[in-house]
Amino acid sequence: MREIAYRLALREAIAEEMERDDRVLIMGEEVGRYQGAYKVTEGLFDRFGDRRVIDTPIAENGFAGIGVGAAMVGLRPIVEFMTWNFSAVAFDQILSNAAKVRQMSGGQFTCPIVFRGPNGSARQVGSQHSQSMDIFYAHVPGLKVLAPATPRDAKGLLKAAIRDDNPICFLESETLYNLKGDVPDPAEGDFVVEIGKANVLREGTDVTIVSWSRISMVAMQAAALLEKEGISAEVVDLRSLRPLDHETVLNSVGKTHRAVVAHEGWPYGGVGAEVVDRIQRYGFDELDAPVLRVSGADVPMPYNAKLEQYCLPQPETIAAACKKVLYRD
Amino acid sequence: MPGKQTKQEAKKPSVHGEASSPSIKDSQFAKQAGADRVSLPRADVDTDELSRLYRQMQLIRRVEEECARAYAQGKIGGFLHLYIGQESVGVGSIAALRHDDYVVGTYRDHGIAMAKGMAAKQVMAELFGKATGCSQGLGGSMHLFDAKNGMLGGYGIVGGHIPLAVGCAFASKYRGDGRVTLCYFGEGSVTIGSFHEALSLAALWHLPIVFICENNEYAMGTPLARTLSVEDVSQKALAYGMQRDRFFARDVLEVKQRIGEAVERARTESEPTLVEVRTYRFRGHSMSDPGKYRTADEIEAQKKLDPLNRAREQLKLLGRTEEQLAKLDEEIEAEVQEAVKFAEESEEPGPEILEPTTYSGPFAR
Ligand SMILES: Cc1ncc(C[n+]2csc(CCOP(=O)(O)OP(=O)(O)O)c2C)c(N)n1
C-alpha cells in the first residue's frame, strides 16, 4: 500500500476515468488553467487539454444544466462546484432536471453525471460558505449522495460514481484534502469501491458511533478518548448517504445496543435523523438506550473562531453523548 | 410594479451611453486606458473635497495593509479579499450619495463600508472576530453590515446580492423616500443569472438604482476574455433598455462625477443605470491566491496608474504642501493604529449571542 492525500486520491480517480473513457470530462470554475481552487484538478488541464478540462465562468445554474443536457445525450460530465455552497445556485438543475429526467421520460433517458466539490465548514469562512448541503440532496429521489472520509474511499467511490448511470452528488471536505491514507497503487489494477456500503472504521463493543465525511475522523478521535476511559466504541462510516446502508449500522447496533449519530449539518431533520429513524424502525428491540445525535449547532455558522468550534461536533461532545447512552455521565 | 410607466422611446440617450450604438466610446475608452499622466483636474475642483476623498482612500488602503499583516499573524481568519487598487471606485461613487442612501456589495467590502461611514476600528474588530465589530464578530471580512450608515452588507455568493439591492431600490420607490441604491459587483458576476434577472426587473420597474460593475479584469484567476464573450460589460444594459456608462477609475473626482450623473437619474427620474468602472486589484483575489495568472510587469504597470498617487499628485498641483500631506498621513496612521489596538483589546462574543441573533423574538426550534 502507499499513502496519498485525499486530494490526490480524487485527482487520480478523475484522471484514470478520463484516461479510460473519452466521454468523461470535467468542468467548473478555475478547474483548468488555475489548476483548481483547491488544487484537486492540478495538472489535468496540461494532461487532457481544454476540450476535456473546461474552465467555466461563474454560472453554476448554467454549467450544471449544460452538464445534465450533455449527460442525457451520452457524455459523462463531472461538474465541480468550487464549494457545495454555490450549488444552491444550481439547485434547480439538480433537483428538477438531473433527478427527474429518467423517471419522467419513462426510463428513456439516463443522466450519468457527477457533481462534486468540498462541502461543509472550512475554517472561519462564515455562514454563507460553511453549509452542509448533505440533506438537501439526500432528500431527493433520483440522486445518489456520497460523502467519503478517507483517501481510499475518495478514490474508489469517485471512480464508481463516474461509472454509475445516475446523477451523483459527491461531497468532499476542504479540511480532508490534506488527510493521508492508504490507497491501492494503480499498478495493482483497477480499484473501485462499491456505492451504497457503509464501512466499519473501528471495531468496538460498547457503543456505535455513526458518522460520515470529516466527522468520521472526529468520531475516531472520540473513540480514542473513550478508550482511555475503558469504553469500546465502534465507528461506522456511512460513506454513502443515499443509498443508506442501514444493514451495516444495524449489525453494529445489534452488537453494542447503543448508538450515537454524529454529523456536521444542522439538527432539524437531516441525514442523522434518517439514520436514527432507521435504527428505531428496524432495530428497536436491540436498543438499550435512546439513540442520540451530535450535530452542528442549530444556527448559521458564525465567523469567530471559537464560536465556530463551539458550533461543530468535537471529539469531546461525541464522547460525552456516548457516555450518556451508556448511562455513564 | 404598479407606478410610473414611462415609454421606452421617451427616454433620451444619456451623455455617456447611447442605447443605439453598441461600440460606443470605444475609441475614447482606449485613449483613457493610456491616460497615466497626472494633469491638473478641472478648474472647478474643490481642493478640500479632493483632500477629503484622498484621505478616505488612504485610510482604506492603510487599514487593509494592516489587515494583511494581521492575517499573516493569524489574528484574522477565513477569507480576506482586499480592495487595494480599487479604492477610488468605492470612495468616488459613495461621495455622490446622500447619507441615507443604500449601498450593497460583495465580499470585497471593506472599502465601501468605510466610505459609507463605518469606522476603521469597527472593521478591524469585525475581522478580528470581536464583539465590538460591526457584525459582532459573527460576519467577518466578507459580511460587513452597518444599518445606521446604509451599508446593507457584503455578500459571499457571487451575484446573489444584486436582486437584493434591487429590492432596496424597490422599497425606496414604494415608499417614495427618494433614496438611491448603489450595488457593487465584479465583472465575474455578470455571467450569473441573478445579475440578469435583477437588471431586467430594475429596468422594467424603473427603480432608483445604480449597478456598479467594478471590472478589475480578473474573476479570481480568470481573465476578462475568458469570462465574457463581449468585454464591454456596459453593453448588457442595452438589451434591458437601461442607461449605461463606462470609464476608468483613475480619477476619484471623475468617479464621483460620472456616478453622480447616474445617481441623479435614479433620484430624479427613477431610472436605473449600469456603470462599468474599469479598475485593477493590486493583490491576489484573496490572501490564499498566489496570483500566478498575471505577470509582475503587468501589476507594476498598473501600480504606476494608482488612483491614490494620482490624487496625491493632484493635491500637490493644487497647492497642498508636503507638510500638509505628511500631517494627513500622520492622522491616518493614528487612526489605523487605534483601530488595531481596539480590535486586539476588545472581547470576543460568547455562545449566548448565537440564538438571539438568528431570529427576532423567541428561537424557533
Ligand atoms: C455563486 C458563487 N460561485 C463561486 C464563488 C467563488 N468565488 C468567489 S469570488 C469569485 C470571483 C468573482 O470575481 P468578480 O465577480 O470579478 O469579483 P472580484 O473578486 O474581482 O471583485 C468566485 C469564483 C462564489 N462565491 N459564489
Side-chain angles (χ1 to χ4, degrees), chain A residues 29-30 58-60 82-83 85-87 89 129, chain B residues 81 86 106-108 155-160 185-190 192 214-221 227 281 285:
Chain A
E29 292 153 19
E30 311 290 3
I58 309 167
E60 281 81 359
M82 192 176 284
T83 78
N85 297 286
F86 314 139
S87 76
V89 177
H129 281 78
Chain B
H81 307 86
Q86 302 182 210
T106 68
Y107 43 85
R108 200 178 300 285
Y155 294 85
I157 306 301
V158 166
F185 48 88
E187 82 290 349
S189 325
V190 173
I192 209 156
E214 293 190 66
N215 184 347
N216 61 14
E217 298 185 28
Y218 294 89
M220 223 160 165
T227 289
R281 64 167 157 73
H285 169 72

Side-chain angles (χ1 to χ4, degrees), chain A residues 7 10-11 14 25-32 34-42 44 53-60 63-64 67 77-84 86-87 90 113-118 158 168 170 172 177, chain B residues 220:
Chain A
R7 182 193 325 268
L10 294 168
R11 188 184 307 148
I14 298 166
L25 56 94
I26 182 159
M27 67 166 100
E29 292 153 19
E30 311 290 3
V31 296
Y34 193 78
Q35 313 296 327
Y38 297 101
K39 303 286 169 267
V40 170
T41 54
E42 192 166 63
L44 297 185
V53 180
I54 301 155
D55 281 318
T56 67
I58 309 167
E60 281 81 359
F63 66 75
I78 304 168
V79 168
E80 175 174 305
F81 292 123
M82 192 176 284
T83 78
W84 273 96
F86 314 139
S87 76
I113 188 169
V114 177
F115 300 102
R116 53 155 290 273
L158 184 51
I168 294 191
F170 195 90
E172 302 154 13
Y177 282 151
Chain B
M220 223 160 165

Side-chain angles (χ1 to χ4, degrees), chain B residues 2-201:
Chain B
K4 204 170 130 193
Q5 293 290 324
T6 34
K7 284 251 182 63
Q8 287 301 315
E9 63 267 26
K11 267 197 235 160
K12 275 199 300 353
S14 79
V15 191
H16 302 293
E18 280 155 307
S20 55
S21 151
S23 61
I24 178 150
K25 288 202 310 136
D26 277 356
S27 56
Q28 189 193 339
F29 200 64
K31 236 183 282 152
Q32 283 186 48
D36 53 348
R37 206 167 49 82
V38 179
S39 53
L40 209 57
R42 293 199 323 268
D44 60 349
V45 71
D46 174 344
T47 311
D48 287 340
E49 174 169 48
L50 181 59
S51 173
R52 209 169 51 244
L53 299 185
Y54 169 71
R55 187 187 192 288
Q56 272 188 31
M57 294 196 290
Q58 184 65 20
L59 178 65
I60 293 166
R61 175 147 320 168
R62 285 291 304 119
V63 163
E64 287 203 316
E65 285 168 353
E66 288 306 305
C67 292
R69 190 206 301 263
Y71 190 88
Q73 296 170 341
K75 292 175 180 168
I76 295 173
F79 293 132
L80 180 65
H81 307 86
L82 299 177
Y83 200 49
I84 292 177
Q86 302 182 210
E87 298 93 337
S88 59
V89 186
V91 167
S93 56
I94 289 170
L97 291 186
R98 280 187 346 211
H99 181 257
D100 65 345
D101 288 332
Y102 298 130
V103 301
V104 185
T106 68
Y107 43 85
R108 200 178 300 285
D109 58 354
H110 311 154
I112 61 166
M114 290 176 66
K116 198 69 176 64
M118 190 184 290
K121 60 183 189 178
Q122 272 193 297
V123 176
M124 199 60 90
E126 185 60 32
L127 272 56
F128 277 56
K130 300 299 179 77
T132 53
C134 62
S135 306
Q136 302 195 65
L138 300 177
S141 160
M142 297 190 286
H143 308 302
L144 301 180
F145 286 80
D146 185 4
K148 73 175 186 317
N149 283 313
M151 166 61 181
L152 273 61
Y155 294 85
I157 306 301
V158 166
H161 64 297
I162 308 176
L164 183 153
V166 174
C168 298
F170 174 92
S172 288
K173 183 169 180 184
Y174 184 89
R175 291 186 303 233
D177 63 17
R179 286 175 177 160
V180 171
T181 299
L182 295 191
C183 179
Y184 299 84
F185 48 88
E187 82 290 349
S189 325
V190 173
T191 55
I192 209 156
S194 49
F195 166 85
H196 296 276
E197 296 184 29
L199 261 74
S200 176
L201 293 180

